[in-house]
Protein backbone atom coordinates (compact mmCIF):
# COMPACT_ATOMS: atom_id res chain seq x y z
CA UNK A 1 0.00 0.00 0.00
CA UNK A 2 1.35 3.43 -0.81
CA UNK A 3 1.81 5.79 2.12
CA UNK A 4 0.13 9.22 1.95
CA UNK A 5 2.30 12.12 3.11
CA UNK A 6 0.67 15.49 3.80
CA UNK A 7 2.75 18.39 2.46
CA UNK A 8 0.59 21.55 2.53
CA UNK A 9 3.27 23.77 1.13
CA UNK A 10 2.96 26.58 -1.40
CA UNK A 11 4.02 25.56 -4.91
CA UNK A 12 6.12 28.69 -5.13
CA UNK A 13 7.66 28.35 -1.67
CA UNK A 14 11.23 28.76 -2.97
CA UNK A 15 10.39 31.86 -4.99
CA UNK A 16 8.19 33.36 -2.27
CA UNK A 17 11.07 32.95 0.17
CA UNK A 18 13.32 35.02 -2.11
CA UNK A 19 10.54 37.60 -2.59
CA UNK A 20 10.31 37.85 1.22
CA UNK A 21 14.08 38.37 1.50
CA UNK A 22 13.98 41.13 -1.11
CA UNK A 23 11.02 42.79 0.65
CA UNK A 24 12.94 42.81 3.94
CA UNK A 25 16.06 44.23 2.33
CA UNK A 26 14.08 46.98 0.58
CA UNK A 27 12.34 47.75 3.83
CA UNK A 28 15.70 48.13 5.62
CA UNK A 29 17.03 50.37 2.86
CA UNK A 30 13.69 52.23 2.66
CA UNK A 31 13.42 51.74 -1.08
CA UNK A 32 10.04 51.62 -2.80
CA UNK A 33 9.72 48.91 -5.46
CA UNK A 34 6.98 49.11 -8.11
CA UNK A 35 6.25 46.24 -10.51
CA UNK A 36 4.85 47.60 -13.80
CA UNK A 37 2.74 45.08 -15.68
CA UNK A 38 1.01 45.54 -19.04
CA UNK A 39 0.77 44.29 -22.63
CA UNK A 40 3.62 44.63 -25.11
CA UNK A 41 3.26 48.14 -26.50
CA UNK A 42 1.17 49.51 -23.61
CA UNK A 43 3.74 52.27 -23.16
CA UNK A 44 5.51 51.04 -20.04
CA UNK A 45 8.98 52.16 -21.16
CA UNK A 46 7.68 55.51 -22.44
CA UNK A 47 5.93 56.04 -19.10
CA UNK A 48 9.20 55.34 -17.28
CA UNK A 49 11.14 57.71 -19.56
CA UNK A 50 8.63 60.50 -18.88
CA UNK A 51 8.65 59.71 -15.14
CA UNK A 52 12.43 59.68 -14.83
CA UNK A 53 12.81 62.99 -16.68
CA UNK A 54 10.45 64.75 -14.27
CA UNK A 55 11.13 63.00 -10.98
CA UNK A 56 13.14 64.30 -8.04
CA UNK A 57 13.47 60.88 -6.40
CA UNK A 58 16.52 58.71 -7.15
CA UNK A 59 15.55 55.73 -9.28
CA UNK A 60 16.85 52.58 -10.90
CA UNK A 61 15.03 50.39 -13.39
CA UNK A 62 15.03 46.61 -13.79
CA UNK A 63 13.92 45.74 -17.31
CA UNK A 64 12.41 42.35 -18.08
CA UNK A 65 12.23 41.29 -21.72
CA UNK A 66 12.36 38.04 -23.61
CA UNK A 67 15.20 39.38 -25.77
CA UNK A 68 17.30 42.50 -26.49
CA UNK A 69 18.50 45.31 -24.24
CA UNK A 70 16.51 47.95 -26.13
CA UNK A 71 14.42 49.02 -23.13
CA UNK A 72 17.41 49.25 -20.79
CA UNK A 73 19.24 51.29 -23.46
CA UNK A 74 16.29 53.71 -23.65
CA UNK A 75 16.22 54.08 -19.86
CA UNK A 76 20.02 54.56 -19.71
CA UNK A 77 19.66 57.50 -22.12
CA UNK A 78 17.64 59.34 -19.42
CA UNK A 79 20.71 59.05 -17.15
CA UNK A 80 19.12 56.40 -14.92
CA UNK A 81 20.78 53.12 -13.98
CA UNK A 82 19.05 50.26 -15.78
CA UNK A 83 19.63 46.51 -15.51
CA UNK A 84 18.29 44.31 -18.27
CA UNK A 85 17.04 40.79 -17.58
CA UNK A 86 16.51 38.59 -20.64
CA UNK A 87 14.14 35.72 -19.87
CA UNK A 88 14.94 33.91 -23.17
CA UNK A 89 11.33 32.97 -23.82
CA UNK A 90 10.07 33.20 -20.24
CA UNK A 91 6.74 35.06 -20.14
CA UNK A 92 7.25 36.70 -16.73
CA UNK A 93 9.90 37.71 -14.19
CA UNK A 94 10.52 35.63 -11.05
CA UNK A 95 11.99 36.82 -7.78
CA UNK A 96 15.34 35.02 -8.20
CA UNK A 97 15.91 36.97 -11.44
CA UNK A 98 15.13 40.26 -9.67
CA UNK A 99 17.46 39.26 -6.83
CA UNK A 100 20.30 38.83 -9.31
CA UNK A 101 19.54 42.16 -10.99
CA UNK A 102 19.42 43.93 -7.62
CA UNK A 103 22.97 42.79 -6.90
CA UNK A 104 24.07 45.09 -9.71
CA UNK A 105 22.46 48.14 -8.10
CA UNK A 106 23.89 50.45 -5.46
CA UNK A 107 20.99 50.31 -3.00
CA UNK A 108 22.36 53.05 -0.76
CA UNK A 109 21.68 55.77 -3.30
CA UNK A 110 18.11 54.86 -4.22
CA UNK A 111 14.54 55.85 -3.38
CA UNK A 112 12.68 53.79 -5.99
CA UNK A 113 13.26 50.67 -8.07
CA UNK A 114 10.89 50.34 -11.00
CA UNK A 115 10.55 46.86 -12.45
CA UNK A 116 9.24 46.75 -15.98
CA UNK A 117 7.89 43.23 -16.28
CA UNK A 118 7.79 41.22 -19.52
CA UNK A 119 4.95 42.56 -21.72
CA UNK A 120 2.07 40.23 -20.83
CA UNK A 121 -1.24 40.80 -19.04
CA UNK A 122 -1.47 37.26 -17.66
CA UNK A 123 1.51 35.47 -16.09
CA UNK A 124 3.41 38.38 -14.47
CA UNK A 125 0.42 39.00 -12.18
CA UNK A 126 1.04 35.60 -10.53
CA UNK A 127 4.60 36.10 -9.32
CA UNK A 128 5.60 38.00 -6.20
CA UNK A 129 8.87 39.85 -6.85
CA UNK A 130 9.10 41.42 -3.41
CA UNK A 131 7.52 44.64 -4.68
CA UNK A 132 5.47 47.08 -2.63
CA UNK A 133 2.89 47.25 -5.35
CA UNK A 134 1.91 45.98 -8.78
CA UNK A 135 1.00 48.77 -11.20
CA UNK A 136 -1.28 47.80 -14.10
CA UNK A 137 -0.50 49.73 -17.29
CA UNK A 138 -3.20 49.62 -19.97
CA UNK A 139 -3.28 51.80 -23.08
CA UNK A 140 -6.11 53.44 -25.02
CA UNK A 141 -5.47 51.53 -28.30
CA UNK A 142 -5.84 48.19 -26.49
CA UNK A 143 -9.52 49.03 -25.96
CA UNK A 144 -11.60 49.56 -22.81
CA UNK A 145 -12.54 45.91 -22.28
CA UNK A 146 -9.19 44.72 -20.87
CA UNK A 147 -9.91 44.95 -17.10
CA UNK A 148 -12.72 42.38 -17.22
CA UNK A 149 -10.89 40.19 -19.74
CA UNK A 150 -7.78 40.10 -17.55
CA UNK A 151 -9.29 40.49 -14.06
CA UNK A 152 -6.38 38.90 -12.19
CA UNK A 153 -3.97 41.73 -12.82
CA UNK A 154 -6.48 44.55 -12.42
CA UNK A 155 -7.86 43.17 -9.17
CA UNK A 156 -4.39 42.79 -7.59
CA UNK A 157 -2.84 46.07 -8.73
CA UNK A 158 -2.30 48.88 -6.23
CA UNK A 159 -2.61 51.40 -9.06
CA UNK A 160 -4.07 51.30 -12.56
CA UNK A 161 -2.69 53.67 -15.22
CA UNK A 162 -4.49 54.30 -18.49
CA UNK A 163 -1.78 55.40 -20.95
CA UNK A 164 -1.80 57.12 -24.37
CA UNK A 165 -4.90 59.18 -23.48
CA UNK A 166 -3.83 61.69 -26.16
CA UNK A 167 -5.18 59.13 -28.65
CA UNK A 168 -8.76 59.23 -27.33
CA UNK A 169 -9.75 62.11 -29.62
CA UNK A 170 -8.47 60.21 -32.66
CA UNK A 171 -9.70 56.69 -32.03
CA UNK A 172 -12.32 57.04 -29.28
CA UNK A 173 -12.36 55.15 -25.98
CA UNK A 174 -15.20 54.32 -23.60
CA UNK A 175 -13.72 55.70 -20.37
CA UNK A 176 -16.91 54.91 -18.44
CA UNK A 177 -16.66 51.22 -19.33
CA UNK A 178 -12.93 51.00 -18.54
CA UNK A 179 -12.98 52.80 -15.19
CA UNK A 180 -16.34 51.28 -14.21
CA UNK A 181 -14.89 47.78 -14.64
CA UNK A 182 -11.67 48.71 -12.78
CA UNK A 183 -13.75 50.12 -9.92
CA UNK A 184 -15.86 46.95 -9.82
CA UNK A 185 -12.76 44.72 -9.65
CA UNK A 186 -10.65 46.86 -7.39
CA UNK A 187 -12.27 49.78 -5.57
CA UNK A 188 -9.09 50.54 -3.59
CA UNK A 189 -6.66 50.92 -6.54
CA UNK A 190 -5.32 54.38 -7.38
CA UNK A 191 -6.58 55.31 -10.84
CA UNK A 192 -4.79 57.69 -13.21
CA UNK A 193 -4.85 58.73 -16.87
CA UNK A 194 -1.55 59.71 -18.49
CA UNK A 195 0.03 60.56 -21.83
CA UNK A 196 3.79 60.18 -22.06
CA UNK A 197 3.64 62.02 -25.41
CA UNK A 198 1.97 65.29 -24.35
CA UNK A 199 2.81 64.90 -20.65
CA UNK A 200 -0.74 65.03 -19.32
CA UNK A 201 -1.16 63.27 -15.98
CA UNK A 202 2.58 62.58 -15.66
CA UNK A 203 3.12 65.10 -12.86
CA UNK A 204 0.17 63.65 -10.93
CA UNK A 205 1.74 60.18 -11.29
CA UNK A 206 5.16 61.46 -10.17
CA UNK A 207 3.52 63.14 -7.16
CA UNK A 208 1.83 59.86 -6.27
CA UNK A 209 5.12 57.92 -6.45
CA UNK A 210 6.74 60.65 -4.35
CA UNK A 211 4.00 60.24 -1.75
CA UNK A 212 4.66 56.47 -1.65
CA UNK A 213 8.41 57.15 -1.33
CA UNK A 214 7.62 59.38 1.67
CA UNK A 215 5.48 56.65 3.25
CA UNK A 216 8.22 54.08 2.73
CA UNK A 217 10.79 56.31 4.47
CA UNK A 218 8.68 56.53 7.63
CA UNK B 1 2.01 29.93 -20.08
CA UNK B 2 3.48 29.85 -16.58
CA UNK B 3 2.28 26.30 -15.88
CA UNK B 4 5.69 24.83 -16.72
CA UNK B 5 7.42 27.10 -14.17
CA UNK B 6 4.91 26.03 -11.53
CA UNK B 7 5.37 22.34 -12.25
CA UNK B 8 9.15 22.68 -12.10
CA UNK B 9 8.76 24.29 -8.67
CA UNK B 10 6.47 21.45 -7.56
CA UNK B 11 8.91 18.79 -8.72
CA UNK B 12 11.93 20.55 -7.17
CA UNK B 13 10.35 20.89 -3.76
CA UNK B 14 9.00 17.32 -3.69
CA UNK B 15 12.37 15.96 -4.83
CA UNK B 16 14.05 17.84 -1.99
CA UNK B 17 11.66 16.37 0.59
CA UNK B 18 12.00 12.96 -1.01
CA UNK B 19 15.80 13.05 -0.61
CA UNK B 20 15.54 14.27 2.99
CA UNK B 21 12.99 11.57 3.90
CA UNK B 22 14.53 8.80 1.73
CA UNK B 23 11.12 8.16 0.15
CA UNK B 24 10.51 5.40 -2.39
CA UNK B 25 8.85 5.92 -5.73
CA UNK B 26 6.14 8.61 -5.69
CA UNK B 27 2.88 7.34 -7.21
CA UNK B 28 0.54 10.29 -6.74
CA UNK B 29 0.87 14.07 -6.32
CA UNK B 30 -2.13 16.15 -5.23
CA UNK B 31 -2.23 19.92 -5.81
CA UNK B 32 -4.79 22.48 -4.68
CA UNK B 33 -5.24 25.26 -7.22
CA UNK B 34 -7.52 28.28 -6.76
CA UNK B 35 -9.47 29.53 -9.77
CA UNK B 36 -7.80 32.97 -9.52
CA UNK B 37 -4.35 31.52 -10.26
CA UNK B 38 -4.84 31.43 -14.05
CA UNK B 39 -3.71 27.85 -14.31
CA UNK B 40 -5.05 25.52 -17.01
CA UNK B 41 -5.26 21.97 -15.58
CA UNK B 42 -4.64 20.26 -18.94
CA UNK B 43 -1.42 22.24 -19.47
CA UNK B 44 -0.37 21.48 -15.91
CA UNK B 45 -0.92 17.74 -16.55
CA UNK B 46 1.06 17.89 -19.79
CA UNK B 47 3.89 19.87 -18.15
CA UNK B 48 4.01 17.34 -15.31
CA UNK B 49 4.26 14.39 -17.68
CA UNK B 50 7.19 16.04 -19.46
CA UNK B 51 9.04 17.58 -16.51
CA UNK B 52 8.77 14.59 -14.17
CA UNK B 53 10.75 12.31 -16.52
CA UNK B 54 13.82 11.02 -14.73
CA UNK B 55 12.56 12.18 -11.32
CA UNK B 56 11.23 10.12 -8.41
CA UNK B 57 7.67 10.95 -9.58
CA UNK B 58 7.99 9.84 -13.20
CA UNK B 59 4.70 8.20 -14.21
CA UNK B 60 2.92 9.36 -11.04
CA UNK B 61 -0.72 10.41 -11.15
CA UNK B 62 -1.26 14.18 -10.82
CA UNK B 63 -4.50 15.11 -9.05
CA UNK B 64 -5.60 18.75 -9.26
CA UNK B 65 -8.21 19.96 -6.78
CA UNK B 66 -9.72 23.17 -8.16
CA UNK B 67 -11.10 25.66 -5.63
CA UNK B 68 -13.65 28.32 -6.51
CA UNK B 69 -13.23 31.97 -5.59
CA UNK B 70 -14.89 32.83 -2.31
CA UNK B 71 -14.78 36.16 -0.49
CA UNK B 72 -15.83 37.35 2.94
CA UNK B 73 -16.79 40.73 4.35
CA UNK B 74 -14.70 41.76 7.37
CA UNK B 75 -17.38 44.18 8.39
CA UNK B 76 -20.62 42.13 8.38
CA UNK B 77 -19.25 38.57 8.02
CA UNK B 78 -21.19 37.80 4.84
CA UNK B 79 -19.44 35.44 2.39
CA UNK B 80 -20.08 34.93 -1.32
CA UNK B 81 -18.79 33.04 -4.35
CA UNK B 82 -17.64 34.88 -7.46
CA UNK B 83 -15.54 37.91 -8.26
CA UNK B 84 -17.71 40.73 -6.83
CA UNK B 85 -15.20 42.99 -5.06
CA UNK B 86 -17.72 44.71 -2.78
CA UNK B 87 -19.76 42.90 -0.15
CA UNK B 88 -22.91 41.51 -1.76
CA UNK B 89 -24.80 42.22 1.46
CA UNK B 90 -23.62 45.56 2.92
CA UNK B 91 -21.76 46.94 -0.14
CA UNK B 92 -18.55 47.88 1.71
CA UNK B 93 -15.06 47.24 0.28
CA UNK B 94 -13.42 45.81 3.43
CA UNK B 95 -13.28 42.29 2.05
CA UNK B 96 -10.88 39.35 2.11
CA UNK B 97 -10.38 36.35 -0.15
CA UNK B 98 -11.17 33.10 1.65
CA UNK B 99 -10.34 30.73 -1.21
CA UNK B 100 -9.48 30.86 -4.89
CA UNK B 101 -5.83 31.97 -4.51
CA UNK B 102 -4.42 28.57 -3.50
CA UNK B 103 -1.33 27.20 -5.16
CA UNK B 104 -0.42 24.39 -2.83
CA UNK B 105 1.17 20.95 -2.86
CA UNK B 106 -1.40 19.16 -0.73
CA UNK B 107 0.08 15.66 -0.44
CA UNK B 108 1.98 12.86 -2.13
CA UNK B 109 1.66 9.09 -2.07
CA UNK B 110 4.86 7.09 -1.74
CA UNK B 111 5.51 3.38 -2.26
CA UNK B 112 6.72 1.68 0.92
Amino acid sequence: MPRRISIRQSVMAADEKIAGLLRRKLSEKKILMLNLIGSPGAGKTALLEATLKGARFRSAVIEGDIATSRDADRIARTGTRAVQINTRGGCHLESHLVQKAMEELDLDGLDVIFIENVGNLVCPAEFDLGEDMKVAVSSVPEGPDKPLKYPHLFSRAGAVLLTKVDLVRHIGFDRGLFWGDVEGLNPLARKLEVSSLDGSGIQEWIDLVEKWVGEKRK
Amino acid sequence: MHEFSLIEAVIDSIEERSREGSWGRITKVTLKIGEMRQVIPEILQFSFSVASKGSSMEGAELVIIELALEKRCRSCGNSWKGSASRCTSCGCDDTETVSGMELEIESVEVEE
Side-chain angles (χ1 to χ4, degrees):
Chain A
M1 267 297 284
R3 176 166 62 108
R4 183 180 173 282
I5 301 169
S6 175
I7 298 205
R8 299 187 154 270
Q9 175 191 309
S10 166
V11 168
M12 298 200 278
D15 224 51
E16 281 165 2
K17 198 172 152 192
I18 297 172
L21 287 173
L22 297 183
R23 193 166 276 119
R24 267 204 299 285
K25 187 165 207 173
L26 291 165
S27 184
E28 272 167 34
K29 299 276 184 189
K30 300 188 191 301
I31 299 170
L32 177 76
M33 187 153 85
L34 300 176
N35 180 4
L36 269 59
I37 303 176
S39 312
K44 297 181 294 300
T45 316
L47 171 71
L48 284 173
E49 287 171 321
T51 307
L52 298 167
K53 277 177 197 156
R56 287 191 300 269
F57 43 78
R58 296 163 300 170
S59 315
V61 177
I62 296 174
E63 282 289 346
D65 279 292
I66 287 176
T68 79
S69 64
R70 287 191 172 176
D71 283 359
D73 296 343
R74 279 173 63 182
I75 297 298
R77 283 198 282 275
T78 70
T80 305
R81 177 87 176 100
V83 181
Q84 181 76 52
I85 300 172
N86 279 144
T87 60
R88 293 193 211 132
C91 54
H92 59 271
L93 290 178
E94 295 185 15
S95 59
H96 61 94
L97 297 171
V98 173
Q99 185 182 38
K100 222 171 141 194
M102 270 173 60
E103 285 168 10
E104 295 183 36
L105 297 174
D106 174 16
L107 298 182
D108 288 324
L110 284 180
D111 300 310
V112 188
I113 297 174
F114 293 98
I115 297 173
E116 183 182 337
N117 219 308
V118 179
N120 179 348
L121 280 175
V122 185
C123 314
E126 298 299 321
F127 293 84
D128 183 4
L129 304 180
E131 74 274 346
D132 291 278
M133 198 182 289
K134 291 177 172 60
V135 176
V137 180
S138 193
S139 67
V140 165
E142 290 168 63
D145 57 352
K146 294 300 165 289
L148 275 196
K149 290 175 84 173
Y150 300 90
H152 307 82
L153 169 62
F154 288 91
S155 59
R156 283 176 213 168
V160 177
L161 264 66
L162 178 64
T163 57
K164 308 190 188 182
V165 289
D166 53 286
L167 288 176
V168 173
R169 64 195 165 95
H170 301 293
I171 60 176
F173 186 83
D174 188 343
R175 286 186 156 102
L177 177 67
F178 182 86
W179 290 118
D181 287 345
V182 171
E183 179 66 22
L185 289 166
N186 190 341
L188 300 177
R190 297 298 303 256
K191 301 166 182 81
L192 278 98
E193 294 191 356
V194 299
S195 164
S196 305
L197 194 67
D198 69 20
S200 64
I202 294 292
Q203 192 54 50
E204 199 185 341
W205 159 243
I206 291 173
D207 291 345
L208 182 61
V209 176
E210 230 158 63
K211 183 175 96 70
W212 290 332
V213 167
E215 287 166 4
K216 187 88 186 195
R217 282 205 193 118
K218 276 178 195 160
Chain B
M1 263 174 88
H2 56 290
E3 281 83 354
F4 206 87
S5 309
L6 298 182
I7 276 299
E8 283 182 318
V10 167
I11 292 170
D12 285 350
S13 58
I14 296 177
E15 285 278 77
E16 195 182 325
R17 289 213 180 198
S18 172
R19 275 193 302 274
E20 285 167 7
S22 306
W23 298 347
R25 202 174 73 85
I26 294 162
T27 55
K28 187 170 167 180
V29 173
T30 303
L31 305 180
K32 273 188 181 169
I33 309 281
E35 71 161 285
M36 287 302 281
R37 299 318 296 241
Q38 309 191 87
V39 170
I40 302 167
E42 292 76 11
I43 301 182
L44 214 52
Q45 291 283 3
F46 174 74
S47 305
F48 183 74
S49 68
V50 174
S52 63
K53 286 207 172 100
S55 76
S56 60
M57 65 212 86
E58 181 171 346
E61 179 191 0
L62 179 68
V63 178
I64 300 166
I65 302 171
E66 292 179 75
L67 297 167
L69 177 62
E70 190 178 339
K71 293 191 170 187
R72 197 182 79 85
C73 176
R74 287 200 193 98
S75 170
C76 75
N78 170 46
S79 63
W80 64 95
K81 292 229 193 271
S83 62
S85 58
R86 288 178 188 274
C87 175
T88 54
S89 172
C90 73
C92 83
D93 56 24
D94 187 17
T95 66
E96 61 187 352
T97 302
V98 181
S99 77
M101 289 295 287
E102 295 80 358
L103 207 54
E104 185 184 300
I105 307 168
E106 204 260 342
S107 62
V108 294
E109 283 188 15
V110 177
E111 273 179 356
E112 292 287 17

